[in-house]
Amino acid sequence: PVELTTGSGTYSKNVDGVDYPAPFVIRVTFTIGSGECNGFNLTEFGLLTGNNVLLARWVNETGLNKTISKNPTISWRMRL
């Protein structure tokens, strides 16, 4: 799952897909739907393992101001 940090806590959701576009590279894709996290500036994303251990963390200082009109699909590429 992916964990999103909001102003009032965290929100966890499943990823849409995982692929390996190059050797030692993983790409995790997830969508934040129109009914999720509205009114929050999302600044931190965490990728969790199946038993909820933090595997990777991504901090975006400017954040993503989530509104009902935004349904972003995010592709997160990491080198292993």
Side-chain angles (χ1 to χ4, degrees):
V2 173
E3 190 168 84
L4 313 169
T5 301
T6 68
S8 66
T10 59
Y11 178 80
S12 187
K13 64 178 293 127
N14 290 327
V15 299
D16 297 333
V18 175
D19 69 336
Y20 305 90
F24 305 105
V25 175
I26 184 173
R27 180 173 44 209
V28 177
T29 305
F30 60 96
T31 302
I32 305 172
S34 61
E36 299 173 309
C37 303
N38 291 319
F40 293 106
N41 190 38
L42 302 175
T43 57
E44 189 172 344
F45 303 89
L47 181 62
L48 305 176
T49 63
N51 58 353
N52 288 329
V53 174
L54 182 65
L55 177 66
R57 181 175 168 230
W58 174 25
V59 177
N60 181 349
E61 292 179 13
T62 57
L64 169 66
N65 186 15
K66 178 63 176 75
T67 64
I68 196 167
S69 64
K70 293 181 183 175
N71 301 326
T73 297
I74 299 169
S75 290
W76 184 359
R77 288 178 57 134
M78 293 167 271
R79 181 171 286 287
L80 303 175

